[in-house]
């Protein structure tokens, strides 16, 4: 898979028989600088943030608790965790990407381990 570049797009969480697919506004942080900044200093986030490549995160200096989804190279969710500010997440060996969102958002999107998401870059 090619490396992601900084930009915008949509995170698509597939639906099933009971619910339609969910499309979430997505910021993409592919550069070292954008990944390092992440959600630091923000009080809210409209949608989600994709950090790539990444296999762990921290919430030091964050103002809000966040949901964190670890994705493998095929964009399948390995694990979803909610982290309060001031924590260090353990690296996930198979993780290649991390999605961050406001705490509680991922449950509303039905994003859970085993789900394979899609990332649609703006303009595609």
């Amino acid at each position: 898979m090619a490396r992601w570049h900084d930009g915008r797009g949509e995170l698509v969480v597939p639906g099933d028989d009971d619910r339609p697919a969910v499309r979430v506004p997505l910021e993409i942080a592919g550069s070292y600088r954008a990944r390092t900044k992440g959600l630091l200093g923000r009080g809210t986030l409209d949608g989600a943030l994709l950090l790539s490549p990444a296999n762990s995160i921290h919430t030091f200096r964050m103002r809000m608790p966040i949901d964190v989804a670890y994705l493998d190279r095929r964009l399948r969710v390995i694990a979803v965790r909610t982290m309060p500010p001031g924590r260090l997440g353990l690296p996930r060996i198979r993780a290649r990407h991390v999605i961050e969102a406001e705490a509680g958002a991922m449950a509303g999107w039905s994003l859970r381990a085993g789900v394979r998401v899609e990332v649609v870059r703006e303009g595609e």
Side-chain angles (χ1 to χ4, degrees):
M1 174 182 279
R3 290 183 62 100
W4 295 99
H5 298 285
D6 295 349
R8 296 191 170 276
E10 279 187 324
L11 174 70
V12 181
V13 181
D16 57 26
D17 295 339
D18 299 326
R19 59 174 184 74
V22 177
R23 300 179 82 83
V24 178
L26 183 69
E27 293 179 40
I28 301 169
S31 69
Y32 176 78
R33 182 177 185 157
R35 289 192 316 271
T36 301
K37 183 175 181 198
L39 296 177
L40 296 179
R42 295 194 203 185
T44 62
L45 173 65
D46 178 31
L49 174 68
L50 170 69
L51 305 169
S52 180
N55 68 356
S56 68
I57 61 109
H58 69 82
T59 59
F60 300 123
R61 296 185 9 228
M62 286 199 183
R63 298 179 180 174
M64 61 185 172
I66 61 170
D67 283 348
V68 181
Y70 299 89
L71 309 177
D72 68 12
R73 63 187 174 92
R74 293 192 174 111
L75 301 182
R76 186 171 306 278
V77 178
I78 296 169
V80 177
R81 299 285 180 261
T82 300
M83 293 179 62
R87 299 292 167 91
L88 177 63
L90 296 174
R92 301 284 173 156
I93 294 171
R94 292 185 0 246
R96 298 295 178 265
H97 318 281
V98 173
I99 296 174
E100 298 178 345
E102 287 190 18
M106 291 183 184
W109 306 333
S110 295
L111 189 64
R112 61 190 176 282
V115 171
R116 186 166 185 242
V117 300
E118 181 183 353
V119 173
V120 180
R121 291 197 42 95
E122 197 170 71
E124 288 184 355

